[in-house]
Amino acid sequence: MEKEKYTSGVLQYIPFFYVMWSDDLLSYSEISVVKKAIKQDDTLTKQDYNYLIKFLDRNTPPAYEELKHWKNVISNSKIKLIESDTYPLATFSQKMICHHFEDCPFNPYLKDIEINLGIQPNHYNHLFDIEIVKETTSDFYNATELDTLLKGEHAVVVDTFREVLRHPIFKWDIKRDKEEFRAHVLKQVEFLGEKGYGAMAFSEAYGGIDDMPAYAAVFENMMYVDGSMAIKFGVQFGLFGGSIQKLGTKIHHDAYLSDTGKAKLLGCFAMTETGHGSNVRGIKTTATYDAETDSIIIHTPGKNDNKEYIGNALHSTKASVFAQLIVDGKNHGVHAILVTIRDANHKLTPGVTIEDNGYKLGLNGVDNGKIWFNQVRVPRANLLNKYGDITPEGTYHSDIENPSKRFFTMLGTLVGGRICVARAGLGGAKKALAIAVKHALKRRQFNDSIKIQEDLLMDYPSHQLRLTPAIASCYVYDVTLTHMMKVYSDKTITDKRKIETQAAGLKSIVTWFANDTIQECREACGGKGYLLENQIADLKSDVDIFTTFEGDNHVLLQLAAKGVLSDFKSEFNSAGFSAVLKLLSSRLGDTLSTFNPVYTNNVDKDHLYSSKFHKDAFDYRTRRLTYTIAMRIRDYVKKGIPSYQAFLKVQTHLLALGKAYSIELAYTTFVDFTANIKDEKNKALFEKLGTLFALNELRKDASWFLEQGYISGSKSKAIRNRVERLSTELRPHIGALIDGFGIPDHCMAAPIAK
Amino acid sequence: MEKEKYTSGVLQYIPFFYVMWSDDLLSYSEISVVKKAIKQDDTLTKQDYNYLIKFLDRNTPPAYEELKHWKNVISNSKIKLIESDTYPLATFSQKMICHHFEDCPFNPYLKDIEINLGIQPNHYNHLFDIEIVKETTSDFYNATELDTLLKGEHAVVVDTFREVLRHPIFKWDIKRDKEEFRAHVLKQVEFLGEKGYGAMAFSEAYGGIDDMPAYAAVFENMMYVDGSMAIKFGVQFGLFGGSIQKLGTKIHHDAYLSDTGKAKLLGCFAMTETGHGSNVRGIKTTATYDAETDSIIIHTPGKNDNKEYIGNALHSTKASVFAQLIVDGKNHGVHAILVTIRDANHKLTPGVTIEDNGYKLGLNGVDNGKIWFNQVRVPRANLLNKYGDITPEGTYHSDIENPSKRFFTMLGTLVGGRICVARAGLGGAKKALAIAVKHALKRRQFNDSIKIQEDLLMDYPSHQLRLTPAIASCYVYDVTLTHMMKVYSDKTITDKRKIETQAAGLKSIVTWFANDTIQECREACGGKGYLLENQIADLKSDVDIFTTFEGDNHVLLQLAAKGVLSDFKSEFNSAGFSAVLKLLSSRLGDTLSTFNPVYTNNVDKDHLYSSKFHKDAFDYRTRRLTYTIAMRIRDYVKKGIPSYQAFLKVQTHLLALGKAYSIELAYTTFVDFTANIKDEKNKALFEKLGTLFALNELRKDASWFLEQGYISGSKSKAIRNRVERLSTELRPHIGALIDGFGIPDHCMAAPIAK
């Protein structure tokens, strides 16, 4: 066949073949897609088929001359490429045929290839010298549908709340002076309290709807207004209100819960101490029962034993104070006691000293302070006595006899706060991404001195790689945290230990993810991102502390890892720890025997995109890390090293396990969610997002998988390439993905995002 | 031999053997160290020797029972471990012998093992149940000597400057209001100008000492006071002053340089435009020569063509304006022209509009603004005419005929600024590390509910791993940047292209490193790090923008990579590009043939710590990336894809090359420096820092080396373990290392660092 005289059958495939080969897009399963199409395509003669089939062998790619010729054929056609066509390349091909031949029907097989190979205009529009009718983003997906999927059962509550945010009180502005800022945030919190949002998690008797999951969903949306507002809200209603609700009993509920939910009673949550950051058990503040006066005396023994960093400390009249409860000379461990810290005139009560913590990197609208107590006396009834009480006779009583178990039961009630912090971090990441993407869809950047047309920032592969995997992660974490909160709030599940482990791990990885993402967005917007008016800077400074508060991430990850370890132990409790290790090791042995080259070298698209591969890999990582830690600890202990020291020695290993476990948890939760999406189009999109998340996570930890021999070098490269390619494939839909976060326009104040 | 009755010869080795085996510290070269010692040790009988030697085989480690027994022997001795002893373990061993035997001389062979194995008290002090006399940090190294090594030939200038910083004007304070902040920073800059620091890089005729390297050394120290001060100083003297000095001629020098150096004349550097971030060549501001009036008319054509983010814009009376120079209707490309923007009363001159950029994430003491010009007329003499001039006859003339070469020559003069930005970033990282380490050497953290004694934060392995490699990197980058600035300022080197490539790459990796490090320090200090009073928060916000200004890091890294690529091309210019590729590929082939298992599996300490291994690995990475990029580009071009598009397609690959090249450059520079250190003790320390830097960099990119088969899985793990171990080994000296940065006490205002 002469090159210059292609039949219409062959000609229609030329743009496809050129795109596929010039970008080297073909793995074996992708070749089979094309083969299948040309086999079924009845517009092709036997001769056409033979001509085409010989270019579908990875071992003998078309010669450079062939490719150049194809390119000229395309370029000379002078057809415009319309990016907004539903199937731009198939349509382009059809037009080429129509240019040369009278008969030129739309070929459905071409459309199939275009869909199945995920070929996007941004893959190829620069390969031809043809005119391109560009658009910045596609409307193939409906952002409202994506938003609806994420909101799930909270759609009505969230949508209503987003409308509430139209009120002028939520209008964003730069605030530098902390007093002014705090006063404004206080007004916002009071406004939200009046509207009923503070009481959402309380029962109806106290003005609420008894819906903690809905509270969390709304909470994330507060980040779209301001970080300080969200955090002060969380302190007032979630921590202070939550302590009364969960640690107190009816007498406290009746007395305080309604007013707390309406923000008529402002309170703080006085747990952390200066000298004892993450060591709640070791706090020094004492609550000594004085039988004579039937009261409890709250006291700060040493200079550095003050309560530290207490949010709402400057506005509150009451505090839930965590202290060592001493009854009749005996310490019964940490309990919470309600203390009035200010009188009706907002004067400090006798014995209470409060100092402003001063300016912080962010969250300057939150009034953090230090609190000292000097022999402050409160009635016995102020003890929040759900898990431990002092009888009228002056003796201590608790239904939970084991002090350790009692302590962890009390603290377990705070797990909801960790999920909320993760949600708030996620909200920050989403907003930063929305700003960065909207900017990148407008901003043009020079490429080269010669080129006249400057490209959109969003069209750069490196820019796509910076932002797109993070967007996919937002979808995964959103679904995961919603699910987590649902399980946590499920009253039929009484043993919350598992969810505590999970919340600890997820809080860590999500808040770190949020920080990394916001930083990437700041840099992706260049100097514009550095201006406060563009809102990313505040998000960065506000979200920063999320990695540290409500539990330091390093501490929480170790907590999660220890949870995983003890799960393994208890799972095989009857058999003993060594039996567990043996079993686990034989299981890993099984897996290892599946490390045949066919698996470790499999770089085919169908394999790399299958959730089975991702799940297997994540599962292997978690189990392998669990096993090796257990082995190391056992080895140390056998050598006579105390187990506490052994744990210290495997600290970095524990952190790795905590992360691995949390990533796996997030991914499997997301896959389960996706499986239940009814609409096929959106389901396919969510699957793609899950794949991008999974491959990106595997890429980040590729060195570990390579070390284990779980993947080969070529597979590792293939994973990296697929991450880049998926990021590019999602480019046309990036606008829809960002809008799918549902951030109200009235919260997007950044000029660069307009 | 009965276990209970060790000879004194054996007994003295028990603590060593226990430490070595319980922590699994032994690689083959380390075993040979111990073997050599016991072979030479004449205090040992033949029987002692035989007993000991059998515990020096990695294949048959001592049984758990043996280890437990050793531990009991040590624990039961009731000897105190004194961490401050010069050789704590050898001394401890000696005391154990003295407890049981009359004759107990100090054994020098034990000392040798202690040194050569890098055994530190923090490796083992938790292994025994003995009393430990702890100290937070060792004085084995002298911080002043380390500081002196880093300062090099600038010691006097830097020390004098550090004394100048005692002046109350440099006292740090929280500043929230930008007007107040800017006014204060202006005073500081004027003060420094009066003291002669602004003119340092200028010649003596204009009040300077013609010493750009000393200027850069001093500049880094400004970060210890305040980021805004450093940046405003850099804008006034480095950018504005530098533009007059380097782009102007004697007439400009005589007229402005002295006053500029003293900050009597304030100026700004008006290059960047809103619409054209990193594309200086494509700026739109015009400078049109009007022959009739013999003047140049500066004009901003469009709304978004204004100068953007111009530092000093609100205080300046003059600006170096970069604009397209049009003479007789012909555009001669970008030139700089001095424009008076304010009159003697600080009123804007006619046609000039300036807007405040407003609040930023950081650097709010710098007055950034936007500038528009509406037909502003200046005399012809205001053209900074070193590289391009307008003759009195009104024709354009330049000695550099090629406009592209002319442009890059002019821009090349700004490379010094990039090195200074990297230095400033480094200064920020150092200060953050100093604060975080000083905090971690005071702060105690709970480990476990049972333990009474809380450990210092700095004693946690994870904390050591977070901070120590970053400290090593500071030493490496300090030495590298000092060297870079020296080469850049060397007037005997006229072709500065290479140093431009290098500065672009180093600026990127160092500013990113600085940001990551400051973030790590913030988190490492928990909530305390979040308070502005503790100074890390401001460093974080100030240094953040360093990744974006003076060239966006992504753009600069690609610039660096392209420099590497064109070096390769030009190196073999006569032979042609394909010949280069062939040669390069055969070279890599050679290297690949050395990928025998003995090399890729070598996990021995001597190998892992040898600079040859590090250099080979870095060199291989750079060359391999260069080769594969060149191949990919060639492949695309052969397929008919324009080379500009081909470069876009390999963008992420280029970024990897830019980083790889810069890391290699930094490491080799540091190794050369270390080789010339006279004092053996400090030399050994610097070698260890270099090793930690190199292994940490290899660890970070382990997936790449694993993919290539350059290292095996076990070698990758060994590298990771060595990074952790070196971080632990340096723990006793971390105080000295931090003090070696030479940050004056009067600049350490953070309460947590007191």
Side-chain angles (χ1 to χ4, degrees), chain B residues 40-106:
Chain B
Q40 294 182 338
D41 186 350
D42 42 22
T43 69
L44 296 177
T45 64
K46 186 74 193 158
Q47 219 183 353
D48 291 345
Y49 176 82
N50 287 339
Y51 175 82
L52 292 171
I53 196 76
K54 69 172 187 282
F55 295 119
L56 289 174
D57 182 351
R58 276 193 64 82
N59 299 315
T60 55
Y64 291 130
E65 282 312 305
E66 192 79 47
L67 279 162
K68 272 195 187 164
H69 179 70
W70 290 349
K71 190 202 159 195
N72 289 336
V73 169
I74 299 162
S75 300
N76 294 338
S77 73
K78 305 288 175 217
I79 309 293
K80 277 189 202 175
L81 175 72
I82 316 287
E83 284 197 357
S84 55
D85 285 335
T86 312
Y87 306 106
L89 195 59
T91 310
F92 180 85
S93 277
Q94 186 193 16
K95 284 187 208 152
M96 254 180 69
I97 312 302
C98 300
H99 186 71
H100 294 284
F101 301 90
E102 281 216 350
D103 191 28
C104 52
F106 184 77

Side-chain angles (χ1 to χ4, degrees), chain A residues 18 21-23 64 67-68 71 123 126-127 129 174-176 273-279 281 308-309 357 359-364 370 443-449 451 454-455 460-463 465-466 512 515 519-520 522-523 526-528 530-533 537 540-542 544-545 547-548 552 554-555 635-642 644-645 648-649 651-652 655 702-704 706-708 713 716-717 720 724, chain B residues 18 21-23 64 67-68 71 123 126-127 129 174-176 273-279 281 308-309 357 359-364 443-449 451 454-455 460-463 465-466 512 515 519-520 522-523 526-528 530-533 537 540-542 544-545 547-548 552 554-555 635-642 644-645 648-649 651-652 655 702-704 706-708 713 716-717 720 724:
Chain A
Y18 183 72
W21 281 111
S22 62
D23 245 4
Y64 291 131
L67 279 161
K68 271 196 191 166
K71 188 201 163 198
H123 275 139
H126 51 275
L127 300 175
D129 300 325
I174 292 171
K175 295 213 168 50
R176 298 294 290 176
E273 294 177 0
T274 302
H276 307 267
S278 301
N279 183 9
R281 257 188 132 167
E308 172 70 281
Y309 243 110
N357 262 121
Y359 278 104
K360 294 157 291 182
L361 175 59
L363 298 180
N364 280 304
K370 309 178 199 181
R443 172 87 178 171
R444 295 189 183 277
Q445 180 91 340
F446 86 109
N447 280 312
D448 192 82
S449 49
K451 216 171 170 255
E454 296 183 337
D455 283 337
Y460 285 77
S462 62
H463 219 78
L465 191 62
R466 291 169 89 170
W512 269 324
N515 270 287
Q519 177 65 23
E520 199 65 61
R522 203 300 286 155
E523 291 184 39
K528 288 285 182 192
Y530 197 63
L531 297 173
L532 287 196
E533 64 177 23
K540 186 167 127 83
S541 299
D542 290 350
D544 181 279
I545 195 68
T547 61
T548 308
D552 178 274
H554 281 88
V555 176
D635 194 48
Y636 281 126
V637 171
K638 284 206 169 180
K639 285 169 177 169
I641 297 168
Y644 151 71
Q645 294 291 354
L648 199 59
K649 287 195 158 287
Q651 205 187 16
T652 54
L655 295 173
S703 62
W704 188 86
L706 284 158
E707 281 173 7
Q708 304 295 321
S716 175
K717 283 183 214 171
R720 203 169 60 227
E724 292 191 23
Chain B
Y18 183 71
W21 281 111
S22 64
D23 245 2
Y64 291 130
L67 279 162
K68 272 195 187 164
K71 190 202 159 195
H123 275 141
H126 52 274
L127 299 176
D129 300 325
I174 293 171
K175 294 213 170 51
R176 297 293 291 176
E273 294 178 359
T274 303
H276 307 269
S278 301
N279 182 9
R281 256 187 134 168
E308 172 69 279
Y309 242 111
N357 262 120
Y359 279 105
K360 292 157 292 181
L361 176 58
L363 297 181
N364 280 305
R443 173 87 178 172
R444 294 188 185 276
Q445 180 91 341
F446 86 108
N447 278 315
D448 193 81
S449 48
K451 216 175 170 251
E454 297 184 336
D455 283 336
Y460 285 76
S462 63
H463 219 78
L465 191 62
R466 288 169 92 170
W512 267 325
N515 270 288
Q519 178 65 24
E520 200 64 61
R522 202 301 286 158
E523 291 183 39
K528 287 285 181 193
Y530 198 63
L531 297 174
L532 287 195
E533 64 177 23
K540 184 168 130 83
S541 299
D542 289 351
D544 180 279
I545 194 68
T547 60
T548 307
D552 178 90
H554 280 89
V555 176
D635 193 47
Y636 281 127
V637 170
K638 283 206 170 179
K639 285 169 177 169
I641 296 167
Y644 149 72
Q645 294 292 353
L648 198 60
K649 286 192 158 292
Q651 203 187 16
T652 54
L655 294 172
S703 62
W704 189 86
L706 284 158
E707 281 174 8
Q708 304 295 321
S716 174
K717 283 182 214 170
R720 202 171 58 228
E724 292 192 23

Side-chain angles (χ1 to χ4, degrees), chain B residues 310-594:
Chain B
I310 307 306
N312 226 3
L314 294 146
H315 291 153
S316 294
T317 52
K318 290 220 188 299
S320 281
V321 179
F322 287 76
Q324 304 287 351
L325 182 64
I326 296 158
V327 182
D328 205 12
K330 199 187 160 201
N331 186 346
H332 295 278
V334 175
H335 287 68
I337 301 104
L338 278 179
V339 180
T340 303
I341 54 173
R342 286 192 180 83
D343 63 20
N345 301 316
H346 207 67
K347 284 244 169 73
L348 288 173
T349 48
V352 175
T353 306
I354 296 185
E355 254 181 32
D356 189 343
N357 262 120
Y359 279 105
K360 292 157 292 181
L361 176 58
L363 297 181
N364 280 305
V366 182
D367 49 319
N368 290 97
K370 309 178 200 182
I371 312 179
W372 288 261
F373 301 97
N374 184 11
Q375 311 285 357
V376 176
R377 194 177 291 267
V378 301
R380 176 170 56 89
N382 282 25
L383 174 66
L384 295 173
N385 59 349
K386 183 161 179 191
Y387 298 108
D389 201 3
I390 303 170
T391 62
E393 292 75 37
T395 57
Y396 179 80
H397 172 264
S398 169
D399 289 340
I400 309 169
E401 278 185 33
N402 182 328
S404 187
K405 198 178 167 194
R406 192 191 309 138
F407 174 74
F408 285 110
T409 305
M410 286 195 226
L411 250 68
T413 60
L414 306 173
V415 168
R418 291 201 177 131
I419 303 177
C420 285
V421 168
R423 274 228 90 97
L426 182 62
K430 285 178 181 170
K431 184 164 176 186
L433 283 166
I435 296 166
V437 167
K438 282 173 193 291
H439 176 60
L441 288 173
K442 279 191 322 176
R443 173 87 178 172
R444 294 188 185 276
Q445 180 91 341
F446 86 108
N447 278 315
D448 193 81
S449 48
I450 307 143
K451 216 175 170 251
I452 294 149
Q453 166 72 32
E454 297 184 336
D455 283 336
L456 284 176
L457 259 186
M458 202 64 249
D459 288 320
Y460 285 76
S462 63
H463 219 78
Q464 291 155 7
L465 191 62
R466 288 169 92 170
L467 302 178
T468 319
I471 293 170
S473 300
C474 283
Y475 275 84
V476 171
Y477 291 139
D478 186 306
V479 164
T480 306
L481 292 174
T482 301
H483 177 74
M484 257 333 96
M485 187 50 99
K486 196 170 175 173
V487 176
Y488 170 68
S489 306
D490 185 339
K491 282 160 190 161
T492 65
I493 303 169
T494 49
D495 186 352
K496 304 282 190 203
R497 270 175 305 177
K498 188 157 195 141
I499 194 85
E500 282 172 41
T501 297
Q502 295 177 331
L506 283 170
K507 184 266 181 184
S508 300
I509 61 163
V510 174
T511 55
W512 267 325
F513 159 76
N515 270 288
D516 291 346
T517 300
I518 297 169
Q519 178 65 24
E520 200 64 61
C521 292
R522 202 301 286 158
E523 291 183 39
C525 295
K528 287 285 181 193
Y530 198 63
L531 297 174
L532 287 195
E533 64 177 23
N534 286 323
Q535 296 203 309
I536 294 176
D538 271 354
L539 287 170
K540 184 168 130 83
S541 299
D542 289 351
V543 170
D544 180 279
I545 194 68
F546 293 8
T547 60
T548 307
F549 74 12
E550 292 280 316
D552 178 90
N553 281 1
H554 280 89
V555 176
L556 290 183
L557 272 186
Q558 290 175 67
L559 197 71
K562 284 176 185 170
V564 175
L565 277 172
S566 73
D567 272 3
F568 268 102
K569 274 206 284 191
S570 64
E571 201 179 317
F572 303 90
N573 207 13
S574 54
F577 195 54
S578 334
V580 182
L581 288 181
K582 255 186 205 155
L583 200 80
L584 192 53
S585 122
S586 74
R587 266 209 219 159
L588 288 168
D590 287 354
T591 317
L592 281 163
S593 71
T594 67

Side-chain angles (χ1 to χ4, degrees), chain B residues 68-370:
Chain B
K68 272 195 187 164
H69 179 70
W70 290 349
K71 190 202 159 195
N72 289 336
V73 169
I74 299 162
S75 300
N76 294 338
S77 73
K78 305 288 175 217
I79 309 293
K80 277 189 202 175
L81 175 72
I82 316 287
E83 284 197 357
S84 55
D85 285 335
T86 312
Y87 306 106
L89 195 59
T91 310
F92 180 85
S93 277
Q94 186 193 16
K95 284 187 208 152
M96 254 180 69
I97 312 302
C98 300
H99 186 71
H100 294 284
F101 301 90
E102 281 216 350
D103 191 28
C104 52
F106 184 77
N107 185 334
Y109 298 108
L110 289 175
K111 183 199 79 179
D112 290 348
I113 297 176
E114 188 163 3
I115 293 170
N116 285 314
L117 260 57
I119 304 179
Q120 303 289 353
N122 53 318
H123 275 141
Y124 55 82
N125 61 22
H126 52 274
L127 299 176
F128 316 136
D129 300 325
I130 52 170
E131 193 180 336
I132 296 156
V133 181
K134 279 206 174 206
E135 58 172 17
T136 55
T137 185
S138 145
D139 57 1
F140 183 74
Y141 293 106
N142 182 325
T144 309
E145 288 174 22
L146 303 181
D147 183 30
T148 303
L149 278 167
L150 291 183
K151 284 180 299 197
E153 55 194 84
H154 309 302
V156 175
V157 175
V158 168
D159 287 340
T160 309
F161 181 71
R162 286 178 181 165
E163 280 307 306
V164 168
L165 296 184
R166 280 192 195 278
H167 192 279
I169 199 169
F170 300 113
K171 196 169 171 300
W172 183 82
D173 207 355
I174 293 171
K175 294 213 170 51
R176 297 293 291 176
D177 178 73
K178 67 180 161 65
E179 304 311 328
E180 196 191 317
F181 195 179
R182 287 169 178 182
H184 183 69
V185 170
L186 176 60
K187 272 187 205 151
Q188 291 176 322
V189 169
E190 285 168 342
F191 180 93
L192 291 168
E194 280 160 29
K195 291 266 174 196
Y197 287 102
M200 283 176 77
F202 305 159
S203 64
E204 282 176 39
Y206 307 110
I209 55 170
D210 198 14
D211 194 343
M212 182 76 180
Y215 169 93
V218 161
F219 186 66
E220 183 185 320
N221 281 270
M222 291 186 194
M223 285 301 290
Y224 304 150
V225 177
D226 177 60
S228 291
M229 183 184 94
I231 297 308
K232 194 176 174 85
F233 181 96
V235 168
Q236 163 67 21
F237 306 113
L239 291 179
F240 176 68
S243 70
I244 296 173
Q245 182 197 15
K246 287 168 184 161
L247 302 178
T249 48
K250 191 161 186 303
I251 174 175
H252 308 108
H253 298 171
D254 290 347
Y256 308 118
L257 222 42
S258 295
D259 279 358
T260 300
K262 288 182 193 125
K264 283 183 182 165
L265 167 64
L266 295 175
C268 55
F269 185 81
M271 184 147 90
T272 310
E273 294 178 359
T274 303
H276 307 269
S278 301
N279 182 9
V280 177
R281 256 187 134 168
I283 56 170
K284 296 278 197 268
T285 305
T286 53
T288 312
Y289 177 64
D290 177 37
E292 225 163 289
T293 56
D294 196 26
S295 58
I296 300 171
I297 298 156
I298 311 291
H299 187 65
T300 307
K303 195 179 139 237
N304 288 321
D305 299 328
N306 59 292
K307 296 298 175 184
E308 172 69 279
Y309 242 111
I310 307 306
N312 226 3
L314 294 146
H315 291 153
S316 294
T317 52
K318 290 220 188 299
S320 281
V321 179
F322 287 76
Q324 304 287 351
L325 182 64
I326 296 158
V327 182
D328 205 12
K330 199 187 160 201
N331 186 346
H332 295 278
V334 175
H335 287 68
I337 301 104
L338 278 179
V339 180
T340 303
I341 54 173
R342 286 192 180 83
D343 63 20
N345 301 316
H346 207 67
K347 284 244 169 73
L348 288 173
T349 48
V352 175
T353 306
I354 296 185
E355 254 181 32
D356 189 343
N357 262 120
Y359 279 105
K360 292 157 292 181
L361 176 58
L363 297 181
N364 280 305
V366 182
D367 49 319
N368 290 97
K370 309 178 200 182

Side-chain angles (χ1 to χ4, degrees), chain A residues 299-318:
Chain A
H299 187 64
T300 307
K303 197 179 137 233
N304 289 320
D305 300 327
N306 58 292
K307 297 297 175 185
E308 172 70 281
Y309 243 110
I310 307 305
N312 226 4
L314 295 143
H315 292 154
S316 291
T317 50
K318 292 224 186 297

